[in-house]
Amino acid sequence: MYYKKIILLGLCLLLHSLPGFSQRYNFRQYDIEDGLTQSQVTSITQDSKRRLWIATLGGLSCFNGKLFCSYTKTNGLNNNFALALSLDKNDGIWVGTARGVSKFNGQKFNNYKQTKDWVGKLVTSHTGTVYGLSSAKLFKTNEAVTEFLNITKDEDENVSALKVDDEGKIAVAIIRKGIFYLENEKWRPHPLNDQLKNFFITDFFSDRFHKNKLWFLSVEGLHSAENGKISQYVSGKFRVIEQDAKSNIWIGATNGAYYLTDTELIHFNGKNGFSNNMVNAIFRDAENNIWLATDGAGLFRFIDRNYVIFDESQGLRSKIVMSLAKGHAQDEIWMGTYGGLFQYKSGQIKEIKIPSDQEDSKNVIFLYNDREKNIWIGTMYGGLWRHNGKRMELMTKDQHAIAYNTILEDSQGRIWLSTDAGCFLLDKKNKRLKSISKQFGSALLETNQGEILLGTEDGVYMINSRYEVVRLKLPQLTGSSILCMAKSGGAILFGTSDNGILVWDRKTGNTQVINTRAGLASDHVYSMLVDDQGILWTGTGKGVNKIKTGDFSVIKNSNEQSLLVECNQNAILQDKNKVWIGTTKGAIVYNSASYIPKSGKPYIYINSVTAFAQNKGQQQKQQTTFQANDLGSIISIPYQQNNIIVNFTGIFLTNPEGLLYQYRLIGLDTKFSETISNTSMNFTSVPPGRYTFQVKAITKNGTSSVNAASFTFEISPPYYQTGIFRLFIFVLIVLLILLAVYIIINLKERKRKLRLKIKLEEQFKVRKQTAEDFHDDLGNKLTRISVLSEVLSSMIDEKDTEKRSIILKINDNVNELYRGTKDILWSLNPKNDKLSELLEHIREFGKEMFNSTPIRFEDRIQLNNQDGKLSLDMSRNLLMIFKEAIHNALKHSKAGVVIFSATVQDGILEIAVKDDGQGLSTAASMDGHGINNMNVRAQRINAKLNINSNHSGMEIMLRVNLSTLMRAKNV
């Protein structure tokens, strides 16, 4: 940007006698009524959360865009005269006061006694060191130590200004010495100090857009230093300077503020929306807003909108501007209001008198410029007038009872009038009205084909060259009140009172509706204008919209707060790069070519989190509150307090009221919610688990915040939902099942044992009875047979050997049968069920078998006190196996010694019959029925039978598990 040189004398006159331009600029004032601590503001800074900190002569204020929070001596500040502010890397607020330096860490103030005098300036370097001015002396502090510095080695040096640039570089201005910069802990002088030392510098900064350019204030005014040369731009008594995002210069003066661009110098004061008070500080925030601290009028924010407003404060008698037209001279605008006709020219507004005694002539409804640059004035019941640049004349005779809504000059030069009494053609020569239509008309438009479109309260009518009036057959317009019409290319646009804008392409017949669903501020459209850039300006019942005529899409508003204003009908005009719109709040003038810098993104942070348990029927709640500094790590919440309230703050100083929010609770949600306006969220009955809450701020045009505030929390499960408890329950259930199974099995076993016991008892009785009966009956009979055979033998002659031989065989068979019955009787007797009894019986059987033979029979039985009952089947099979073994040894072994043994070792019963005879071949043993029967019987009782035979003898050994042997019962 190249600033035009302004002659010093001319500037002096300009600044001291600057006329009040008839327009009001946009400033938002914050004073004690809004919560500011005190109205004399001395300094402004901004922390990382985008909160503004404001120093006043009544204490310290913090501002989040909506609310102020105040801190005074009551809260620990060393003095309420707060004069300077600076922010360190940890968001600690350093405050320079009339009693030295204080630091606020967000919870309490620490006051430092090293500086007890007036501290008027504080800055923080990129290293985090705080520098300040006290009694024109420079000092630095790091909380522990405060040190006063001497830069030029001159003991009397006085520092008049202290500054820090965007990179954290410290610079100072010293009276009669110039400007010095701190680089690598050394002070470097400015190259132009030989010239700068001649100025008393009160404020300065390095241009952000032009390298090596310095701006500074002195008692003479505003200067710049560049390319080895110092130039003066503006003279006056100034206090502070700042540069905005558009590279323009802001100057704080004793009587308001000045705004220097490359084309103009504007003095903001009480006449155009600002204040006449002294400006103590100017601050540019992270969103590029300019804040001005005044001495007595509080805090101001400049709203850099692309419009200004003309209303009653600039000279209009009524702020309801009904119509607009270009004046006869360049840059002249005429405004028709309910308070008369006014002219804006050369920054001044003056009233144009209509030569009529009727009061209704002051109710100007419509203004119109014809080809001859005449201005037509339509009034409400005050007549139709025309101004030719020299005089005003009445254009109708005896037609005062008509309200003129709109005027149109067609391509043939005819004047059409739309009134409350219908549509008329004006006979300019005779000043007579010719009625064309009786419909109440509110808008007129000539088509490219030369027809006249008449907008009425019931759709649109077309008037052809023969003055025939025909309804335009567009279903969307039937029953709608047409307030305005416009053309864009081959399309005709109709502004309605309830359906927005209807775009009609006459060539194709296609239509398109633009309404609130498409982004229009209101469906009540009062005025339309297509400007030179192809933008459709639309005045609605709730503000102004801009629409692209290429696709008729609504251009989104900027992040600034929309001007909520009701526009007036057909009150729109373009004058060069300015668009004038008449509203109920004055004439709004938009600069369509102006550049508005992008505002920054909003910022959001979480204030606190409260977890509580809702106790039904009780007034008190169990709750835990976590402050912002508690949310850095995962917070743990007991399961009873599973109702969560999150309070957060979004800061968007450009438009605090237009900020919306989106949130999600990761763990329950995956997507962000729809936008909401409230700054707290309540989650009820959150189940146990780990969650992350995220929230972001959204501006009205969809810009998301620079950050998404978040915190992570974990709700511990109740004891009955923990893994240990679930494992315990699982184990308990398994144990209960096992116990139930055990009980069932045990009951079944007890029943089985009981049944078995009963059966065994029955068997015992049966076996005992059978043994007794068998012994008594069969034994007696065998004895009788034996006695009778002996009697018969005594009766036969001894020489009759054949008969005696037969009788001998009978006796042998009887004896054999008796011996067999002895085994059966022995087995049937229950008292012989014990293992020891079985082994003893086998031993007795062996002794009896080898009693009359040369073979010696030996027995070796060692049970180690492990005895028990055997089932009848077990006992019988064991007996038959070893009777067969002893019989085979006697019959086939030709042994000298036969040994019968039985031992119990490690729960295994081993029973064996061993001899020292000639042995038996394996093949021969397998062919015998006895050996096969022995194997079958061993398998039957789950025993293992081993037969070892060689030339030194033979051994038959049976191994069986003793517990298996004892477990088998008679069934």
Side-chain angles (χ1 to χ4, degrees):
M1 182 182 70
Y2 297 94
Y3 289 89
K4 295 181 179 179
K5 291 289 183 65
I6 303 175
I7 300 175
L8 182 59
L9 180 59
L11 279 177
C12 292
L13 294 175
L14 175 67
L15 296 181
H16 291 91
S17 61
L18 191 66
F21 290 103
S22 298
Q23 60 187 39
R24 180 165 51 86
Y25 294 94
N26 301 294
F27 287 90
R28 171 68 167 93
Q29 182 182 10
Y30 299 91
D31 208 337
I32 57 175
E33 293 86 355
D34 302 290
L36 189 65
T37 305
Q38 202 257 357
S39 62
Q40 293 173 280
V41 182
T42 56
S43 182
I44 310 168
T45 191
Q46 189 175 31
D47 63 19
S48 62
K49 292 181 178 179
R50 306 285 181 88
R51 298 174 297 186
L52 285 185
W53 292 84
I54 302 105
T56 74
L57 296 187
L60 182 65
S61 288
C62 180
F63 182 51
N64 64 7
K66 294 183 178 180
L67 299 174
F68 284 90
C69 182
S70 298
Y71 303 91
T72 63
K73 191 172 182 179
T74 305
N75 304 107
L77 186 64
N78 61 5
N79 190 273
N80 282 344
F81 274 27
L83 308 169
L85 293 174
S86 188
L87 191 76
D88 64 20
K89 290 183 177 181
N90 300 318
D91 268 0
I93 304 297
W94 291 79
V95 187
T97 73
R99 291 291 182 269
V101 178
S102 290
K103 182 185 176 183
F104 183 57
N105 62 7
Q107 296 179 346
K108 67 176 182 178
F109 284 91
N110 292 321
N111 299 314
Y112 302 97
K113 298 180 180 179
Q114 294 92 334
T115 54
K116 297 181 181 180
D117 296 329
W118 192 284
V119 176
K121 187 69 176 179
L122 288 174
V123 296
T124 304
S125 70
H126 63 91
T127 61
T129 304
V130 176
Y131 290 80
L133 292 182
S134 178
S135 299
K137 300 296 181 182
L138 179 68
F139 68 89
K140 68 176 182 179
T141 180
N142 59 2
E143 299 189 50
V145 178
T146 299
E147 177 186 0
F148 280 87
L149 306 175
N150 188 283
I151 299 172
T152 63
K153 309 303 181 184
D154 183 357
E155 295 181 358
D156 296 327
E157 73 175 19
N158 291 315
V159 179
S160 59
L162 172 64
K163 207 74 174 180
V164 61
D165 62 15
D166 294 338
E167 297 178 355
K169 184 188 295 185
I170 302 296
V172 295
I174 302 176
I175 299 175
R176 294 188 298 275
K177 303 292 183 182
I179 295 176
F180 295 82
Y181 297 92
L182 181 61
E183 294 181 353
N184 299 321
E185 301 302 321
K186 293 183 178 180
W187 293 96
R188 179 181 61 83
H190 192 281
L192 295 179
N193 268 357
D194 287 340
Q195 301 179 57
L196 293 175
K197 66 182 182 181
N198 299 319
F199 295 91
F200 188 104
I201 298 174
T202 57
D203 199 9
F204 65 95
F205 69 85
S206 297
D207 195 302
R208 298 184 181 93
F209 300 88
H210 297 82
K211 191 176 181 181
N212 300 324
K213 185 172 185 178
L214 175 74
W215 293 91
F216 66 91
L217 293 179
S218 73
V219 293
E220 291 85 10
L222 174 66
H223 307 264
S224 71
E226 185 180 22
N227 299 325
K229 184 179 180 182
I230 296 178
S231 304
Q232 183 173 359
Y233 280 79
V234 184
S235 70
K237 295 182 179 180
F238 304 135
R239 295 179 54 82
V240 289
I241 54 173
E242 182 57 85
Q243 190 172 37
D244 64 18
K246 296 190 293 185
S247 79
N248 299 319
I249 306 299
W250 287 79
I251 311 169
T254 57
N255 59 342
Y258 290 88
Y259 181 60
L260 178 63
T261 71
D262 58 346
T263 60
E264 62 182 342
L265 177 68
I266 303 174
H267 182 199
F268 296 124
N269 53 31
K271 295 181 180 180
N272 55 19
F274 187 55
S275 167
N276 292 322
N277 291 63
M278 181 169 57
V279 175
N280 292 321
I282 302 174
F283 180 74
R284 181 172 65 94
D285 67 19
E287 300 170 19
N288 294 321
N289 296 303
I290 293 294
W291 298 81
L292 299 104
T294 69
D295 191 49
L299 184 67
F300 286 81
R301 176 171 67 91
F302 176 67
I303 303 173
D304 194 4
R305 292 173 175 162
N306 59 344
Y307 66 84
V308 294
I309 300 175
F310 295 94
D311 57 16
E312 293 166 324
S313 63
Q314 282 83 42
L316 297 179
R317 294 189 184 277
S318 172
K319 63 182 179 180
I320 302 177
V321 178
M322 296 297 297
S323 54
L324 295 161
K326 294 182 180 180
H328 301 286
Q330 189 177 8
D331 297 327
E332 180 183 334
I333 300 296
W334 286 37
M335 292 176 277
T337 74
Y338 276 168
L341 182 62
F342 294 86
Q343 177 197 66
Y344 170 81
K345 185 179 180 180
S346 301
Q348 300 290 332
I349 291 178
K350 71 175 184 178
E351 185 176 1
I352 303 295
K353 297 291 186 179
I354 296 177
S356 173
D357 296 331
Q358 294 188 29
E359 190 66 24
D360 291 336
S361 64
K362 294 183 179 180
N363 295 329
V364 180
I365 298 178
F366 201 88
L367 297 175
Y368 184 77
N369 297 107
D370 64 17
R371 294 192 193 94
E372 298 176 355
K373 297 184 179 181
N374 297 311
I375 302 175
W376 293 78
I377 303 103
T379 68
M380 181 181 291
Y381 311 128
L384 176 66
W385 301 81
R386 185 179 67 180
H387 194 282
N388 61 8
K390 296 180 180 180
R391 64 186 181 88
M392 186 88 64
E393 63 175 322
L394 183 65
M395 296 302 296
T396 58
K397 295 180 179 180
D398 302 325
Q399 298 290 341
H400 298 298
I402 293 178
Y404 295 92
N405 297 325
T406 185
I407 307 173
L408 172 68
E409 182 183 24
D410 65 13
S411 56
Q412 299 178 31
R414 295 175 296 183
I415 297 295
W416 295 79
L417 300 171
S418 178
T419 73
D420 61 346
C423 179
F424 297 90
L425 267 176
L426 174 65
D427 182 353
K428 291 185 284 186
K429 182 177 180 181
N430 297 318
K431 299 183 180 181
R432 298 289 183 181
L433 295 178
K434 177 183 177 180
S435 177
I436 303 298
S437 170
K438 297 299 183 182
Q439 287 88 354
F440 178 92
S442 54
L444 289 169
L445 181 71
E446 184 179 13
T447 68
N448 294 335
Q449 291 75 23
E451 301 103 339
I452 302 299
L453 297 180
L454 173 63
T456 73
E457 292 182 330
D458 185 21
V460 179
Y461 290 83
M462 182 180 292
I463 305 173
N464 59 24
S465 59
R466 296 188 298 273
Y467 303 120
E468 295 173 340
V469 181
V470 180
R471 180 187 289 273
L472 193 62
K473 296 180 180 179
L474 286 175
Q476 298 92 332
L477 298 180
T478 302
S480 293
S481 180
I482 309 302
L483 302 180
C484 57
M485 294 183 289
K487 291 187 293 185
S488 175
I492 298 177
L493 292 72
F494 304 96
T496 71
S497 63
D498 50 8
N499 294 320
I501 301 173
L502 177 69
V503 182
W504 176 45
D505 189 329
R506 187 173 183 181
K507 184 177 181 181
T508 63
N510 296 331
T511 59
Q512 179 181 347
V513 176
I514 309 171
N515 52 24
T516 51
R517 293 182 180 179
L520 209 59
S522 171
D523 288 332
H524 210 106
V525 179
Y526 285 104
S527 54
M528 293 185 295
L529 170 73
V530 179
D531 68 10
D532 297 337
Q533 300 176 7
I535 300 298
L536 174 64
W537 292 77
T538 306
T540 75
K542 291 185 178 180
V544 179
N545 285 107
K546 292 193 291 184
I547 300 173
K548 298 177 182 178
T549 54
D551 57 0
F552 293 103
S553 60
V554 178
I555 299 174
K556 287 186 177 181
N557 291 327
S558 64
N559 287 327
E560 68 184 36
Q561 186 175 2
S562 296
L563 179 64
L564 185 60
V565 64
E566 184 178 7
C567 300
N568 286 324
Q569 188 175 356
N570 294 308
I572 190 165
L573 173 72
Q574 183 178 11
D575 179 38
K576 297 181 181 179
N577 62 347
K578 291 182 173 59
V579 175
W580 293 65
I581 301 177
T583 75
T584 57
K585 293 183 179 180
I588 303 175
V589 184
Y590 287 88
N591 187 351
S592 59
S594 66
Y595 163 73
I596 296 180
K598 274 189 176 181
S599 60
K601 297 180 178 181
Y603 187 89
I604 190 168
Y605 61 92
I606 297 175
N607 296 315
S608 64
V609 177
T610 301
F612 65 94
Q614 185 70 50
N615 298 324
K616 295 182 178 180
Q618 300 182 15
Q619 294 295 326
Q620 295 183 347
K621 299 178 180 178
Q622 299 177 5
Q623 69 177 33
T624 304
T625 299
F626 302 91
Q627 300 301 329
N629 54 359
D630 300 324
L631 305 177
S633 57
I634 300 174
I635 61 174
S636 182
I637 298 173
Y639 71 90
Q640 301 95 332
Q641 300 178 13
N642 63 342
N643 299 286
I644 311 296
I645 297 178
V646 185
N647 294 300
F648 47 86
T649 298
I651 294 184
F652 189 55
L653 300 175
T654 303
N655 182 15
E657 292 79 11
L659 205 56
L660 300 173
Y661 305 93
Q662 288 182 320
Y663 70 91
R664 65 177 176 178
L665 187 61
I666 299 176
L668 291 180
D669 307 318
T670 56
K671 296 181 180 180
F672 279 94
S673 68
E674 296 295 327
T675 54
I676 59 174
S677 58
N678 53 304
T679 58
S680 66
M681 279 307 303
N682 188 1
F683 300 96
T684 59
S685 302
V686 180
R690 178 173 290 188
Y691 304 92
T692 297
F693 175 81
Q694 288 183 339
V695 61
K696 59 183 180 179
I698 308 291
T699 64
K700 60 184 296 184
N701 73 343
T703 302
S704 297
S705 55
V706 69
N707 68 317
S710 66
F711 75 98
T712 301
F713 65 97
E714 188 172 30
I715 297 179
S716 58
Y719 68 90
Y720 51 81
Q721 291 184 1
T722 60
I724 295 176
F725 183 80
R726 288 173 177 171
L727 179 62
F728 170 75
I729 293 298
F730 175 76
V731 172
L732 180 61
I733 291 173
V734 171
L735 291 177
L736 290 175
I737 292 173
L738 292 176
L739 178 62
V741 171
Y742 171 78
I743 292 173
I744 292 172
I745 293 175
N746 192 43
L747 289 174
K748 288 184 178 180
E749 183 66 17
R750 288 176 64 184
K751 290 180 180 180
R752 191 188 69 80
K753 287 182 178 181
L754 182 60
R755 289 196 300 268
L756 180 60
K757 182 179 180 182
I758 294 172
K759 287 184 178 181
L760 290 176
E761 289 177 354
E762 292 295 327
Q763 287 179 357
F764 182 83
K765 291 179 183 179
V766 171
R767 286 170 62 191
K768 185 176 181 182
Q769 186 65 41
T770 301
E772 291 175 354
D773 294 345
F774 190 79
H775 180 272
D776 292 343
D777 190 14
L778 184 60
N780 291 334
K781 286 182 171 57
L782 290 175
T783 301
R784 287 183 63 189
I785 292 172
S786 179
V787 172
L788 290 175
S789 63
E790 289 178 358
V791 171
L792 183 60
S793 178
S794 63
M795 293 175 62
I796 298 173
D797 190 352
E798 293 181 356
K799 295 180 180 180
D800 194 351
T801 56
E802 183 177 357
K803 292 182 179 177
R804 284 184 173 274
S805 175
I806 292 171
I807 293 172
L808 182 61
K809 289 181 179 180
I810 292 172
N811 282 328
D812 290 339
N813 285 326
V814 169
N815 291 331
E816 287 291 332
L817 181 60
Y818 180 72
R819 283 195 296 273
T821 57
K822 281 180 65 180
D823 289 337
I824 293 173
L825 291 173
W826 183 88
S827 298
L828 287 173
N829 194 345
K831 71 177 185 178
N832 297 322
D833 287 345
K834 286 189 176 182
L835 176 61
S836 57
E837 292 292 337
L838 172 64
L839 298 176
E840 181 63 23
H841 184 68
I842 295 172
R843 186 177 68 80
E844 291 296 330
F845 173 78
K847 284 184 178 182
E848 184 178 350
M849 289 293 291
F850 294 103
N851 188 25
S852 302
T853 66
I855 301 173
R856 186 173 79 251
F857 179 78
E858 297 180 0
D859 62 272
R860 298 171 184 173
I861 300 173
Q862 184 63 42
L863 297 180
N864 296 325
N865 297 322
Q866 298 194 39
D867 197 4
K869 286 188 176 185
L870 303 177
S871 66
L872 179 60
D873 185 56
M874 288 285 184
S875 178
R876 180 67 180 167
N877 283 297
L878 286 173
L879 177 61
M880 297 308 294
I881 289 171
F882 286 100
K883 282 185 69 176
E884 182 69 24
I886 291 171
H887 183 269
N888 287 341
L890 175 63
K891 184 176 180 181
H892 303 291
S893 67
K894 298 180 181 181
V897 178
V898 175
I899 301 173
F900 172 70
S901 64
T903 60
V904 175
Q905 186 175 0
D906 297 330
I908 303 298
L909 172 65
E910 294 182 353
I911 305 175
V913 174
K914 185 177 181 183
D915 63 63
D916 58 354
Q918 63 182 2
L920 186 66
S921 66
T922 304
S925 66
M926 295 304 295
D927 291 339
H929 292 291
I931 297 299
N932 287 333
N933 290 337
M934 292 168 65
N935 283 317
V936 171
R937 291 182 183 275
Q939 292 177 2
R940 190 178 295 162
I941 62 174
N942 294 321
K944 187 176 182 182
L945 184 67
N946 293 324
I947 300 176
N948 298 318
S949 178
N950 52 41
H951 63 279
S952 61
M954 182 176 179
E955 181 182 27
I956 298 175
M957 178 177 286
L958 182 139
R959 287 186 176 89
V960 63
N961 192 306
L962 190 62
S963 61
T964 302
L965 194 66
M966 298 302 177
R967 215 168 30 242
K969 303 296 180 183
N970 295 322
V971 180

